[in-house]
Amino acid sequence: MKTYSLSIFILIFILNFNFGKAQSLNEFGLKAGINFVDIRNKLSDDGVTHVNKNGFYLGAFMEFRRSVNFSIQPEIYYSSNKNRKDENIGLLHIPILLKYKLGNRFELYGGPESQFLLSVYGIDINKDKSYKKFILSAIAGVGFIISNEFAIDARYNLAVSNYIDSGNHQNTKLNFIQIGLTYKFDN
């Protein structure tokens, strides 16, 4: 619970710190899309298996433009996916992205992401200690700007820490490819 509170406090601090400085440059938006999840299961020192599943995500973001081409974009969104056993898992994602605009239509971005495991269908994650409630990952992505309000983005989310840690050199990581649509509200 402490990590949830700390991440939300940091997000609120970033939003409040930048909001007063350049209000006209800040943009709020919503995002939604699909996840393609690669569940990487390391069985031992030699064997690695991959299982591919899909799901969806839905959330919000704030974009703080620091210059014409550079901005910082904290996000918060929920994703639901299937795991190895086709059980639904719910994750809360909190990335902080650094974005660079290339011309009028393209953006490149990347940064760290905190993920919080909220639920695994049929499993009490508070009792099953093999499930990790906090997951760290890194994001790299590209966006295509359709209009002032709409954009399409695609990103790769590489897990740094484990989703399941079974011991004896066995662990499971969740890597995502996400494709979605963003909508920025007019300020």
Coordinates of all heavy atoms in Angstrom, one line a residue, residues 33-40 50-58 77-83 89-95 109 113-117 135-141 153-163 172-179:
G33 N -7.0 1.5 -25.9 CA -6.4 0.7 -26.9 C -6.4 -0.8 -26.6 O -7.0 -1.2 -25.6
I34 N -5.6 -1.5 -27.3 CA -5.4 -3.0 -27.1 C -4.0 -3.3 -26.7 O -3.0 -2.6 -27.1 CB -5.8 -3.8 -28.3 CG1 -5.0 -3.3 -29.6 CG2 -7.3 -3.7 -28.6 CD1 -5.3 -4.2 -30.8
N35 N -3.9 -4.3 -25.9 CA -2.6 -4.9 -25.4 C -2.3 -6.2 -26.2 O -3.2 -7.0 -26.3 CB -2.6 -5.2 -23.9 CG -2.6 -4.0 -23.1 OD1 -2.1 -3.0 -23.4 ND2 -3.2 -4.2 -21.9
F36 N -1.1 -6.4 -26.6 CA -0.7 -7.7 -27.0 C 0.4 -8.1 -26.0 O 1.5 -7.5 -26.0 CB -0.1 -7.7 -28.4 CG -1.1 -7.3 -29.4 CD1 -1.2 -6.0 -29.9 CD2 -2.1 -8.1 -29.9 CE1 -2.1 -5.5 -30.8 CE2 -3.1 -7.7 -30.8 CZ -3.1 -6.4 -31.3
V37 N 0.1 -9.1 -25.2 CA 1.0 -9.4 -24.0 C 1.9 -10.6 -24.4 O 1.3 -11.6 -24.8 CB 0.2 -9.7 -22.8 CG1 1.1 -10.0 -21.6 CG2 -0.8 -8.6 -22.5
D38 N 3.2 -10.5 -24.1 CA 4.1 -11.6 -24.3 C 4.4 -12.0 -22.8 O 5.1 -11.2 -22.1 CB 5.3 -11.2 -25.0 CG 6.4 -12.2 -25.0 OD1 6.1 -13.4 -25.0 OD2 7.6 -11.9 -25.0
I39 N 4.0 -13.2 -22.4 CA 4.3 -13.7 -21.1 C 5.5 -14.5 -21.2 O 5.5 -15.6 -21.8 CB 3.1 -14.5 -20.5 CG1 1.8 -13.6 -20.5 CG2 3.4 -15.0 -19.1 CD1 0.5 -14.3 -20.3
R40 N 6.6 -14.0 -20.7 CA 7.9 -14.7 -20.8 C 8.1 -15.4 -19.5 O 8.2 -14.9 -18.4 CB 9.0 -13.6 -20.9 CG 10.4 -14.2 -21.1 CD 11.4 -13.1 -21.1 NE 12.8 -13.6 -21.1 CZ 13.4 -13.9 -20.0 NH1 12.9 -13.7 -18.8 NH2 14.6 -14.3 -20.0
H50 N 7.4 -18.6 -24.2 CA 6.6 -17.3 -24.5 C 5.2 -17.7 -24.8 O 4.9 -18.6 -25.6 CB 7.2 -16.6 -25.7 CG 8.6 -16.0 -25.4 ND1 8.8 -14.8 -24.9 CD2 9.8 -16.6 -25.7 CE1 10.1 -14.6 -24.8 NE2 10.7 -15.6 -25.3
V51 N 4.2 -17.0 -24.1 CA 2.8 -17.2 -24.4 C 2.3 -15.8 -24.8 O 2.5 -14.9 -24.1 CB 2.1 -17.8 -23.2 CG1 0.6 -17.9 -23.4 CG2 2.7 -19.1 -22.8
N52 N 1.5 -15.8 -25.8 CA 1.0 -14.5 -26.3 C -0.5 -14.4 -26.0 O -1.3 -15.3 -26.3 CB 1.2 -14.3 -27.8 CG 2.7 -14.2 -28.1 OD1 3.4 -13.5 -27.4 ND2 3.2 -14.9 -29.1
K53 N -1.0 -13.3 -25.4 CA -2.4 -13.1 -25.0 C -2.7 -11.6 -25.5 O -1.8 -10.9 -25.8 CB -2.6 -13.2 -23.5 CG -2.2 -14.6 -23.0 CD -3.2 -15.6 -23.4 CE -2.8 -17.0 -22.8 NZ -3.8 -18.0 -23.0
N54 N -4.0 -11.3 -25.3 CA -4.3 -9.9 -25.6 C -5.3 -9.4 -24.6 O -5.9 -10.1 -23.8 CB -4.9 -9.7 -27.0 CG -6.1 -10.6 -27.3 OD1 -6.8 -11.1 -26.4 ND2 -6.4 -11.0 -28.5
G55 N -5.5 -8.1 -24.6 CA -6.4 -7.4 -23.6 C -6.6 -6.0 -24.1 O -6.5 -5.6 -25.2
F56 N -7.0 -5.1 -23.1 CA -7.3 -3.7 -23.4 C -6.7 -2.8 -22.3 O -6.3 -3.3 -21.3 CB -8.8 -3.5 -23.5 CG -9.5 -3.6 -22.2 CD1 -9.7 -2.4 -21.5 CD2 -10.0 -4.7 -21.6 CE1 -10.3 -2.4 -20.2 CE2 -10.6 -4.8 -20.4 CZ -10.8 -3.6 -19.7
Y57 N -6.7 -1.5 -22.6 CA -6.3 -0.5 -21.6 C -7.1 0.7 -21.8 O -7.6 1.0 -22.9 CB -4.8 -0.2 -21.7 CG -4.3 0.5 -22.9 CD1 -4.3 1.9 -22.9 CD2 -3.9 -0.2 -24.0 CE1 -3.8 2.6 -24.0 CE2 -3.4 0.5 -25.1 CZ -3.4 1.9 -25.1 OH -2.9 2.5 -26.2
L58 N -7.3 1.5 -20.7 CA -8.1 2.7 -20.7 C -7.5 3.6 -19.6 O -7.3 3.1 -18.5 CB -9.5 2.3 -20.4 CG -10.6 3.4 -20.3 CD1 -10.7 4.1 -21.6 CD2 -11.9 2.8 -19.8
Y77 N -3.3 4.5 -16.2 CA -4.3 3.8 -17.0 C -4.4 2.4 -16.4 O -3.5 1.8 -15.7 CB -4.0 3.8 -18.5 CG -2.8 3.2 -18.9 CD1 -2.7 1.8 -19.3 CD2 -1.6 3.9 -19.0 CE1 -1.5 1.3 -19.8 CE2 -0.4 3.4 -19.5 CZ -0.4 2.0 -19.9 OH 0.8 1.5 -20.3
Y78 N -5.5 1.8 -16.7 CA -5.9 0.4 -16.2 C -5.8 -0.5 -17.4 O -6.2 -0.2 -18.5 CB -7.3 0.4 -15.6 CG -7.7 -1.0 -15.3 CD1 -7.3 -1.7 -14.1 CD2 -8.6 -1.7 -16.1 CE1 -7.7 -3.0 -13.8 CE2 -9.0 -3.0 -15.9 CZ -8.6 -3.6 -14.7 OH -9.0 -4.9 -14.4
S79 N -5.2 -1.7 -17.2 CA -5.2 -2.7 -18.3 C -5.7 -4.1 -17.7 O -5.5 -4.4 -16.6 CB -3.8 -2.9 -18.9 OG -3.0 -3.6 -18.0
S80 N -6.4 -4.8 -18.6 CA -6.9 -6.1 -18.3 C -6.4 -7.0 -19.3 O -6.5 -6.8 -20.5 CB -8.4 -6.1 -18.2 OG -8.9 -7.4 -17.9
N81 N -5.8 -8.1 -18.9 CA -5.2 -9.1 -19.8 C -5.5 -10.5 -19.3 O -5.9 -10.7 -18.2 CB -3.7 -8.9 -19.9 CG -3.3 -7.5 -20.1 OD1 -3.5 -7.0 -21.2 ND2 -2.8 -6.8 -19.1
K82 N -5.2 -11.4 -20.1 CA -5.2 -12.9 -19.7 C -3.8 -13.3 -19.3 O -2.8 -12.8 -19.9 CB -5.7 -13.7 -20.9 CG -7.0 -13.4 -21.4 CD -8.1 -14.0 -20.6 CE -9.5 -13.8 -21.3 NZ -10.6 -14.2 -20.5
N83 N -3.7 -14.2 -18.4 CA -2.3 -14.7 -18.1 C -2.2 -16.1 -18.7 O -3.0 -16.5 -19.5 CB -2.1 -14.7 -16.5 CG -2.9 -15.7 -15.8 OD1 -3.7 -16.5 -16.4 ND2 -2.8 -15.7 -14.5
I89 N -6.1 -10.7 -15.4 CA -5.3 -9.9 -14.5 C -5.5 -8.5 -14.7 O -5.7 -8.0 -15.8 CB -3.8 -10.3 -14.6 CG1 -3.2 -10.0 -16.0 CG2 -3.5 -11.7 -14.2 CD1 -1.8 -10.1 -16.1
G90 N -5.6 -7.7 -13.6 CA -5.8 -6.3 -13.7 C -4.5 -5.5 -13.2 O -4.0 -5.9 -12.1
L91 N -4.1 -4.6 -14.0 CA -2.9 -3.8 -13.6 C -3.2 -2.3 -13.7 O -3.9 -1.9 -14.6 CB -1.7 -4.1 -14.6 CG -1.1 -5.5 -14.6 CD1 -0.2 -5.7 -15.8 CD2 -0.2 -5.6 -13.3
L92 N -2.6 -1.6 -12.8 CA -2.6 -0.1 -12.8 C -1.2 0.3 -13.3 O -0.2 0.0 -12.7 CB -2.9 0.5 -11.5 CG -3.0 2.0 -11.4 CD1 -4.2 2.5 -12.2 CD2 -3.0 2.5 -10.0
H93 N -1.2 1.1 -14.4 CA 0.1 1.5 -15.0 C 0.3 3.0 -14.7 O -0.7 3.8 -14.9 CB 0.1 1.3 -16.5 CG -0.2 -0.1 -17.0 ND1 0.9 -0.9 -17.4 CD2 -1.3 -0.8 -17.0 CE1 0.4 -2.1 -17.8 NE2 -0.9 -2.0 -17.5
I94 N 1.5 3.4 -14.3 CA 1.8 4.8 -14.1 C 3.2 5.1 -14.8 O 4.2 5.0 -14.1 CB 1.8 5.2 -12.6 CG1 0.5 4.9 -12.0 CG2 2.1 6.7 -12.4 CD1 0.4 5.1 -10.5
P95 N 3.2 5.4 -16.1 CA 4.4 5.8 -16.7 C 4.6 7.3 -16.7 O 3.7 8.1 -16.6 CB 4.2 5.4 -18.2 CG 2.7 5.5 -18.4 CD 2.1 5.2 -17.0
Y109 N 8.8 8.7 -27.9 CA 8.8 8.9 -26.5 C 9.3 7.6 -25.8 O 9.4 6.6 -26.4 CB 7.4 9.2 -26.0 CG 6.3 8.2 -26.3 CD1 6.1 7.1 -25.5 CD2 5.5 8.4 -27.5 CE1 5.1 6.2 -25.9 CE2 4.6 7.5 -27.8 CZ 4.4 6.4 -27.0 OH 3.4 5.5 -27.3
E113 N 8.1 3.0 -16.2 CA 6.7 2.8 -15.8 C 6.6 2.0 -14.5 O 7.3 1.0 -14.4 CB 5.9 2.1 -16.9 CG 4.5 1.8 -16.6 CD 3.7 1.2 -17.7 OE1 3.3 1.9 -18.6 OE2 3.6 -0.1 -17.7
S114 N 5.7 2.4 -13.6 CA 5.4 1.6 -12.4 C 4.1 0.9 -12.7 O 3.1 1.5 -13.2 CB 5.2 2.5 -11.2 OG 6.4 3.1 -10.9
Q115 N 4.0 -0.4 -12.4 CA 2.8 -1.2 -12.6 C 2.4 -1.8 -11.2 O 3.3 -2.2 -10.5 CB 3.0 -2.3 -13.6 CG 3.3 -1.9 -15.0 CD 3.7 -3.0 -15.9 OE1 3.6 -4.2 -15.5 NE2 4.1 -2.7 -17.1
F116 N 1.2 -1.7 -10.9 CA 0.7 -2.3 -9.7 C -0.3 -3.4 -10.0 O -1.3 -3.1 -10.7 CB 0.0 -1.2 -8.8 CG 1.0 -0.1 -8.5 CD1 1.1 1.0 -9.2 CD2 1.8 -0.2 -7.4 CE1 2.0 2.0 -8.9 CE2 2.7 0.8 -7.0 CZ 2.8 1.9 -7.8
L117 N -0.1 -4.6 -9.5 CA -0.9 -5.7 -9.7 C -2.2 -5.5 -8.8 O -2.0 -5.5 -7.6 CB -0.2 -7.0 -9.4 CG -1.0 -8.3 -9.6 CD1 -1.4 -8.5 -11.1 CD2 -0.2 -9.5 -9.2
I135 N 5.6 -3.8 -10.2 CA 6.4 -4.3 -11.3 C 7.0 -3.0 -12.0 O 6.3 -2.0 -12.2 CB 5.5 -5.0 -12.3 CG1 4.8 -6.2 -11.6 CG2 6.3 -5.5 -13.5 CD1 3.6 -6.8 -12.4
L136 N 8.2 -3.1 -12.3 CA 8.9 -1.9 -12.9 C 9.1 -2.3 -14.4 O 9.5 -3.4 -14.7 CB 10.2 -1.6 -12.2 CG 11.0 -0.4 -12.7 CD1 10.2 0.9 -12.5 CD2 12.3 -0.3 -12.0
S137 N 8.9 -1.3 -15.3 CA 9.2 -1.6 -16.7 C 9.7 -0.3 -17.4 O 9.7 0.7 -16.8 CB 7.9 -2.1 -17.4 OG 6.9 -1.1 -17.4
A138 N 10.1 -0.5 -18.6 CA 10.5 0.6 -19.5 C 9.7 0.7 -20.8 O 9.3 -0.4 -21.3 CB 12.0 0.5 -19.8
I139 N 9.5 1.9 -21.2 CA 8.6 2.1 -22.4 C 9.4 2.8 -23.5 O 10.1 3.7 -23.2 CB 7.4 2.9 -22.1 CG1 6.5 2.1 -21.1 CG2 6.6 3.3 -23.3 CD1 5.3 2.9 -20.7
A140 N 9.2 2.4 -24.8 CA 9.6 3.1 -25.9 C 8.5 3.1 -26.9 O 7.8 2.1 -27.1 CB 10.9 2.5 -26.5
G141 N 8.2 4.2 -27.6 CA 7.0 4.3 -28.5 C 7.1 5.4 -29.5 O 8.0 6.2 -29.5
D153 N -1.0 5.9 -31.2 CA 0.3 5.6 -30.7 C 0.5 4.1 -30.5 O -0.4 3.4 -30.4 CB 0.7 6.4 -29.4 CG -0.1 5.9 -28.2 OD1 -1.0 5.1 -28.3 OD2 0.3 6.3 -27.1
A154 N 1.8 3.7 -30.6 CA 2.2 2.3 -30.5 C 3.4 2.3 -29.6 O 4.3 3.2 -29.8 CB 2.5 1.7 -31.8
R155 N 3.5 1.4 -28.6 CA 4.6 1.4 -27.7 C 4.9 -0.1 -27.3 O 4.1 -1.0 -27.4 CB 4.3 2.2 -26.5 CG 3.1 1.6 -25.6 CD 2.9 2.4 -24.4 NE 2.4 3.8 -24.7 CZ 2.1 4.6 -23.8 NH1 2.1 4.3 -22.5 NH2 1.7 5.8 -24.1
Y156 N 6.2 -0.2 -27.0 CA 6.7 -1.5 -26.4 C 7.0 -1.3 -25.0 O 7.7 -0.3 -24.6 CB 7.9 -2.0 -27.2 CG 8.3 -3.4 -26.7 CD1 7.6 -4.5 -27.0 CD2 9.5 -3.5 -25.9 CE1 7.9 -5.7 -26.5 CE2 9.9 -4.8 -25.5 CZ 9.1 -5.9 -25.8 OH 9.5 -7.1 -25.3
N157 N 6.5 -2.2 -24.1 CA 6.7 -2.1 -22.7 C 7.5 -3.3 -22.3 O 7.0 -4.4 -22.3 CB 5.3 -2.1 -22.0 CG 5.3 -1.8 -20.6 OD1 6.1 -2.4 -19.9 ND2 4.4 -1.0 -20.1
L158 N 8.7 -3.1 -21.9 CA 9.6 -4.1 -21.5 C 9.7 -4.3 -20.0 O 10.1 -3.3 -19.3 CB 11.0 -3.9 -22.0 CG 12.1 -4.9 -21.6 CD1 11.8 -6.2 -22.3 CD2 13.5 -4.3 -22.1
A159 N 9.3 -5.4 -19.4 CA 9.3 -5.6 -18.0 C 10.8 -5.7 -17.5 O 11.6 -6.4 -18.1 CB 8.6 -6.9 -17.6
V160 N 11.1 -5.0 -16.4 CA 12.4 -5.0 -15.8 C 12.3 -6.0 -14.6 O 13.2 -6.8 -14.3 CB 12.8 -3.6 -15.3 CG1 14.1 -3.7 -14.5 CG2 12.9 -2.7 -16.5
S161 N 11.2 -6.0 -13.9 CA 11.0 -6.9 -12.8 C 9.9 -8.0 -13.1 O 9.2 -7.9 -14.0 CB 10.6 -6.1 -11.5 OG 9.5 -5.3 -11.7
N162 N 9.9 -9.0 -12.2 CA 9.0 -10.1 -12.4 C 7.6 -9.9 -12.0 O 7.3 -9.1 -11.1 CB 9.5 -11.3 -11.6 CG 10.9 -11.7 -12.0 OD1 11.3 -11.6 -13.2 ND2 11.7 -12.2 -11.1
Y163 N 6.7 -10.5 -12.7 CA 5.3 -10.6 -12.3 C 5.0 -11.7 -11.4 O 4.3 -11.6 -10.4 CB 4.5 -10.7 -13.6 CG 3.1 -11.3 -13.5 CD1 2.1 -10.7 -12.8 CD2 2.8 -12.5 -14.2 CE1 0.8 -11.3 -12.8 CE2 1.5 -13.0 -14.2 CZ 0.6 -12.4 -13.4 OH -0.7 -13.0 -13.4
T172 N 8.4 -15.1 -14.1 CA 7.5 -14.8 -15.2 C 7.5 -13.2 -15.4 O 7.3 -12.6 -14.4 CB 6.1 -15.3 -15.0 OG1 6.1 -16.7 -14.8 CG2 5.2 -15.0 -16.2
K173 N 7.6 -12.7 -16.6 CA 7.6 -11.3 -16.9 C 6.5 -11.0 -17.9 O 6.2 -11.9 -18.8 CB 8.9 -10.8 -17.4 CG 10.0 -10.8 -16.3 CD 11.3 -10.2 -16.9 CE 12.3 -10.2 -15.7 NZ 13.6 -9.5 -16.2
L174 N 5.9 -9.9 -17.8 CA 4.9 -9.4 -18.8 C 5.4 -8.3 -19.6 O 5.8 -7.2 -19.1 CB 3.6 -8.9 -18.0 CG 2.9 -9.8 -17.1 CD1 1.8 -9.1 -16.4 CD2 2.3 -11.0 -17.9
N175 N 5.6 -8.5 -20.9 CA 6.0 -7.5 -21.9 C 4.8 -7.2 -22.8 O 4.0 -8.1 -23.2 CB 7.1 -8.0 -22.7 CG 8.4 -8.3 -21.9 OD1 8.7 -7.6 -21.0 ND2 9.0 -9.4 -22.2
F176 N 4.6 -5.9 -23.0 CA 3.4 -5.5 -23.8 C 3.8 -4.8 -25.1 O 4.7 -4.0 -25.1 CB 2.6 -4.4 -23.0 CG 2.0 -4.9 -21.7 CD1 2.7 -4.8 -20.5 CD2 0.7 -5.4 -21.7 CE1 2.2 -5.2 -19.3 CE2 0.2 -5.9 -20.4 CZ 1.0 -5.7 -19.3
I177 N 3.0 -5.0 -26.1 CA 2.9 -4.1 -27.3 C 1.5 -3.5 -27.2 O 0.5 -4.2 -27.1 CB 3.1 -4.8 -28.6 CG1 4.5 -5.4 -28.7 CG2 2.8 -3.9 -29.8 CD1 4.7 -6.2 -30.0
Q178 N 1.4 -2.2 -27.1 CA 0.1 -1.5 -27.0 C -0.1 -0.6 -28.2 O 0.8 0.2 -28.6 CB 0.1 -0.7 -25.7 CG 0.2 -1.5 -24.5 CD 0.3 -0.7 -23.2 OE1 1.0 0.3 -23.1 NE2 -0.3 -1.2 -22.1
I179 N -1.3 -0.6 -28.7 CA -1.7 0.2 -29.8 C -3.0 0.9 -29.4 O -3.9 0.2 -29.0 CB -1.8 -0.6 -31.1 CG1 -0.5 -1.3 -31.5 CG2 -2.3 0.3 -32.3 CD1 -0.6 -2.2 -32.6

